[in-house]
Amino acid sequence: MENRFFNRELSWLEFNNRVLDQALNKDIPLLERLQFLSIVSSNFDEFFQVRLASVKRSLFENPDYTDPSGLTPRMLLSAISARAHQILFTQQECLTNEILPSLKKKGFIYVPQNQYSPTQKEFLQNIFRSNIYPLLTPQRANNTEFPNIKNLSLYAGFLLEPMAGIRNQNIPDQLSGKNEESKIAFVEIPTSLPGLYWLPSASSKDKEFTLITDIIKECGTRLFPGLNVKESLIFKVTRDADFAVDEDAGTNFIHAMEDVLIQRKTSFPVQITCDSGSDFIQKFLTEKLELKEEDIYKVQSIVDLSKLMELRNSEDTSDLQFDAWEHFYPSDLPQDEPLWESIKLHDRILHVPYQSYDPVVKMISDAAVDPNVLAIKMTLYRTGFNSPIIKALENAAQNGKQVIALVELKARFDEERNIAWANELEQAGVTVIYGLKDLKVHAKILMVIRKESDSIRRYIHLSTGNYNTKTAKLYSDISLFTANPLIAQDATSFFNLVTGYSSLQKMDYLGMAPVTIKSRLLTMIEREIDRSTPENPGLIIAKMNSLTHEEIIQALYKASCTGVRVFLNIRGICMLVPGVKDMSENITVLSIVDRYLEHSRIFYFQNGGASELYCSSADWMSRNLDRRIELMFPILDPDCFNDVKSILESYFNDNTNAKILLPNGKWESVKRKKSEDLFNAQQALYKKYKKLDDEKPKNTNVQFVVRRK
């Protein structure tokens, strides 16, 4: 019998391999390829902290458990280690054999520690003495003393030996380490130090650089007077981050969340990433941290590739990066006046990052100072640093508006930041609701309540992505501006439910997880089956980040077996097995990894000719549909409908970056027919919005100023 599900963790690893494929693509500029290599590493950091830690825990708690793909925890750990090591090896080969040599040809030369010239050594000794040495704190490590190694912090380890003829009777043995066979010390590398340092070069044409890790290895002896550095190792330890706050903490919930952040720094170790330096130190670490050989991930030279990304800020690198893409202000939204009249007239779609995120910020900023605005309500999941949205909400509260912000403190890896600006909002007079017990609030919704001549009107913004101005320049997301009173009524019911005590009121247009989204999706899939005929087969087209919900997958299998055509574009994890006879032969799964992170969720159902289209904050995953507060919103306006459907279809026309999922779990590039022109979905979308911007009426009001005496 065919396996009905791919393993979730192994599917994620294949997603990271698709990111790596972009780094291997020689048609992409060098620094962009380097960026993709760095993303592979940062993706691994999160995967090891959360998913690998979860599998390791299940090995101890339920070792005989078999997941839907048929793997036990022990089998899965072995498979993860094997595939992750393969990906890391390919990443390092690309860096060492392609990226760094190609950068050298362009005049950007990485100089590792063992290749410093005498002039460079002297230069770095001066830098070390004045700028680096004061910040470093060496810590002894031996059989009785082992320092706390923080999660994901970069460290230098040193194996030390006494200098010949050096002895100081005044230093106690426990400080000198005189009685130890080997002396090991660890030095945490502060994040406040630059990762990259420019070096004096013999050639005026070349720009030579080195990394902070190389400098510390070169100058490390200065940290240990009377001792020689025999061997060194650069490493970082990944620890478990897959644990949650005590939901019963009551009024001390924030303190409980802060405790979680502290625990994360010292939780059980999951793996080590290190360079190919000292085997002795590596084995010592492995033993002390109680890890296995399969948990050690060795790189050829550079442990933290993010340090290299400082090259982006260098001069003369424009040809090494993507051509800049503008974020166009939408032609159908006003820039110099409030949005209210425009939204009242017509629903509007915003597609970032091709279009500017400014209208969202403008909507909140305008509401903050508009004397007719009575209240602002919104959800906040991740907003980033120095958010203009936070400033606008504070301004609104200070101007006497009622401002309600539902802040999700449990947004993983953003907890500390969310706590900080939640406190800031409260101090400004904003009413802050700290999420819901046992459910993450992942929905993205904003409601502005405004008094107008005829009545009170509600303006709604719904989105597939976070209220984050930074990621809105990097993530592809869809949002809707509407004043439709039917959607506004559902929005009001939603806020009443999540901010107070309210039995669930019927929402006719908005779907809400964990209450109605899953049941609506299953109903629409079943409806597609019922209305499908051989002459006019049903059609489901969906785009999302991940697909793991077993009940949804089973429903899609059933649809396929009755002739419904299913086209899925899944950026990341996909547990569905496509293309299997008598199970999923009518299902096609594609994936696109490109310069922008695909983040929008769009669902189309043909519905026997009365087609329906939805966008959502939710992926088709158990966590989204069963354990989070999410929203799914319909695209009702005909123009908006056609626009979003066109966007969705473009992802299935891509024949340059698109990969297709095979029944064996492998991904291969979509084969382009000889008669087809090259089509890149993201490039096509950019050209579309550029054309719309070019066609906007330009300001032709030229003023002639007469100069007078």
Side-chain angles (χ1 to χ4, degrees), residues 46 75 118 196 257 317 348 389 412 486 572 579 634 640 673 707:
E46 184 168 341
M75 294 163 62
L196 183 148
M257 179 62 70
T317 60
R348 309 292 178 181
I389 289 174
R412 184 179 276 134
L486 300 174
C640 294
K673 298 175 183 177
R707 182 179 289 117

Side-chain angles (χ1 to χ4, degrees), residues 213-284:
T213 47
D214 293 287
I215 298 173
I216 290 177
K217 283 194 295 182
E218 170 67 21
C219 305
T221 302
R222 286 180 171 269
L223 295 165
F224 312 102
L227 298 170
N228 280 326
V229 173
K230 186 178 180 181
E231 297 176 7
S232 62
L233 185 80
I234 302 297
F235 68 93
K236 68 177 179 181
V237 173
T238 306
R239 295 183 178 274
D240 171 33
D242 186 41
F243 45 88
V245 67
D246 178 9
E247 295 279 7
D248 295 316
T251 55
N252 293 318
F253 180 76
I254 290 182
H255 295 310
M257 179 62 70
E258 289 169 339
D259 289 342
V260 164
L261 300 179
I262 294 170
Q263 292 172 40
R264 190 176 288 165
K265 295 178 182 178
T266 57
S267 57
F268 79 82
V270 174
Q271 62 89 233
I272 299 172
T273 303
C274 61
D275 65 14
S276 54
S278 172
D279 288 337
F280 187 94
I281 299 175
Q282 180 225 295
K283 290 175 182 176
F284 174 77

Side-chain angles (χ1 to χ4, degrees), residues 600-655:
S600 57
R601 293 91 166 183
I602 312 171
F603 317 137
Y604 171 85
F605 297 88
Q606 184 171 264
N607 189 25
S611 53
E612 295 181 356
L613 187 65
Y614 299 85
C615 292
S616 180
S617 61
D619 291 309
W620 292 356
M621 303 178 74
S622 297
R623 71 180 188 187
N624 297 93
L625 301 184
D626 299 328
R627 301 192 299 276
R628 288 183 174 183
I629 300 292
E630 306 271 12
L631 285 172
M632 180 174 74
F633 52 97
I635 307 300
L636 302 176
D637 180 273
D639 291 339
C640 294
F641 186 103
N642 292 334
D643 189 17
V644 176
K645 185 168 184 284
S646 173
I647 292 168
L648 178 62
E649 290 172 342
S650 69
Y651 290 107
F652 293 89
N653 295 327
D654 192 297
N655 57 24

Side-chain angles (χ1 to χ4, degrees), residues 22-36:
Q22 291 297 96
L24 300 175
N25 185 346
K26 295 182 180 180
D27 293 331
I28 292 176
L30 271 175
L31 288 183
E32 304 299 345
R33 295 176 65 189
L34 183 59
Q35 178 76 63
F36 281 114

Side-chain angles (χ1 to χ4, degrees), residues 535-691:
E535 298 76 25
N536 187 24
L539 176 63
I540 299 170
I541 310 174
K543 177 183 180 296
M544 66 199 77
N545 298 332
S546 295
L547 171 59
T548 66
H549 200 292
E550 294 173 37
E551 198 174 351
I552 298 289
I553 293 172
Q554 297 283 24
L556 292 174
Y557 287 157
K558 180 181 177 183
S560 173
C561 290
T562 58
V564 175
R565 298 164 297 155
V566 181
F567 294 93
L568 304 173
N569 195 293
I570 314 291
R571 186 196 80 213
I573 305 165
C574 181
M575 288 176 56
L576 179 147
V577 182
V580 177
K581 186 174 174 57
D582 299 327
M583 183 178 83
S584 58
E585 57 192 303
N586 290 312
I587 302 178
T588 300
V589 179
L590 301 177
S591 181
I592 291 176
V593 178
D594 207 340
R595 67 185 290 170
Y596 291 148
L597 182 80
E598 290 299 336
H599 194 251
S600 57
R601 293 91 166 183
I602 312 171
F603 317 137
Y604 171 85
F605 297 88
Q606 184 171 264
N607 189 25
S611 53
E612 295 181 356
L613 187 65
Y614 299 85
C615 292
S616 180
S617 61
D619 291 309
W620 292 356
M621 303 178 74
S622 297
R623 71 180 188 187
N624 297 93
L625 301 184
D626 299 328
R627 301 192 299 276
R628 288 183 174 183
I629 300 292
E630 306 271 12
L631 285 172
M632 180 174 74
F633 52 97
I635 307 300
L636 302 176
D637 180 273
D639 291 339
C640 294
F641 186 103
N642 292 334
D643 189 17
V644 176
K645 185 168 184 284
S646 173
I647 292 168
L648 178 62
E649 290 172 342
S650 69
Y651 290 107
F652 293 89
N653 295 327
D654 192 297
N655 57 24
T656 57
N657 276 331
K659 307 268 186 180
I660 187 167
L661 179 59
L662 304 180
N664 62 3
K666 303 296 183 184
W667 293 82
E668 68 175 24
S669 297
V670 169
K671 292 181 173 62
R672 181 169 60 91
K673 298 175 183 177
K674 290 183 178 179
S675 58
E676 284 184 327
D677 293 329
L678 285 173
F679 184 85
N680 179 300
Q682 292 195 0
Q683 287 184 4
L685 288 167
Y686 176 77
K687 290 177 181 177
K688 165 190 167 181
Y689 292 107
K690 185 178 187 308
K691 182 180 178 183

Side-chain angles (χ1 to χ4, degrees), residues 295-555:
D295 301 318
I296 310 304
Y297 290 76
K298 278 190 177 182
V299 302
Q300 295 180 30
S301 56
I302 302 173
V303 173
D304 187 354
L305 293 184
S306 68
K307 306 299 185 190
L308 289 172
M309 296 320 301
E310 293 179 30
L311 289 171
R312 278 186 174 276
N313 301 322
S314 306
E315 295 180 359
D316 305 322
T317 60
S318 58
D319 63 327
L320 304 181
Q321 303 185 55
F322 284 133
D323 292 338
W325 279 5
E326 190 176 347
H327 311 291
F328 302 107
Y329 196 93
S331 57
D332 56 354
L333 287 172
Q335 284 183 267
D336 302 324
E337 59 188 50
L339 305 179
W340 320 126
E341 292 301 320
S342 178
I343 298 173
K344 192 191 312 183
L345 181 67
H346 202 304
D347 285 0
R348 309 292 178 181
I349 291 295
L350 184 71
H351 190 189
V352 298
Y354 309 99
Q355 293 180 299
S356 168
Y357 197 66
D358 287 350
V360 179
V361 178
K362 178 176 172 56
M363 182 177 181
I364 305 172
S365 300
D366 286 348
V369 297
D370 187 333
N372 293 319
V373 167
L374 306 176
I376 303 171
K377 302 182 182 184
M378 72 182 303
T379 59
L380 294 169
Y381 191 71
R382 303 184 197 274
T383 63
F385 290 107
N386 299 320
S387 171
I389 289 174
I390 299 298
K391 299 301 180 187
L393 292 177
E394 293 173 353
N395 189 28
Q398 290 161 356
N399 287 336
K401 319 293 184 189
Q402 181 194 55
V403 183
I404 311 293
L406 199 156
V407 177
E408 183 48 78
L409 296 185
K410 294 173 287 188
R412 184 179 276 134
F413 305 124
D414 269 356
E415 300 98 335
E416 188 170 4
R417 186 184 310 166
N418 287 8
I419 289 171
W421 52 250
N423 288 332
E424 184 182 320
L425 285 170
E426 281 194 320
Q427 291 171 8
V430 174
T431 299
V432 177
I433 309 296
Y434 291 100
L436 296 175
K437 182 180 177 182
D438 298 323
L439 294 169
K440 281 187 180 181
V441 180
H442 193 248
K444 282 75 175 166
I445 182 171
L446 160 69
M447 179 166 68
V448 175
I449 303 169
R450 190 170 186 268
K451 183 179 180 180
E452 299 185 356
S453 57
D454 52 347
S455 64
I456 298 293
R457 192 178 293 272
R458 292 163 291 188
Y459 295 88
I460 311 298
H461 175 263
L462 292 148
S463 181
T464 66
N466 297 308
Y467 288 102
N468 187 318
T469 54
K470 181 177 179 182
T471 57
K473 295 178 180 178
L474 304 170
Y475 291 13
S476 172
D477 274 302
I478 301 286
S479 59
L480 171 72
F481 294 95
T482 183
N484 185 321
L486 300 174
I487 291 180
Q489 183 56 47
D490 282 359
T492 301
S493 298
F494 169 80
F495 279 111
N496 289 345
L497 175 65
V498 297
T499 62
Y501 294 102
S502 171
S503 59
L504 182 66
Q505 302 176 34
K506 182 181 178 184
M507 292 194 288
D508 294 316
Y509 292 88
L510 297 183
M512 174 180 157
V515 185
T516 61
I517 293 183
K518 182 176 74 174
S519 60
R520 286 194 185 187
L521 289 171
L522 291 171
T523 297
M524 288 188 286
I525 294 171
E526 190 66 36
R527 184 185 65 188
E528 210 63 32
I529 294 170
D530 293 341
R531 298 187 178 184
S532 179
T533 66
E535 298 76 25
N536 187 24
L539 176 63
I540 299 170
I541 310 174
K543 177 183 180 296
M544 66 199 77
N545 298 332
S546 295
L547 171 59
T548 66
H549 200 292
E550 294 173 37
E551 198 174 351
I552 298 289
I553 293 172
Q554 297 283 24

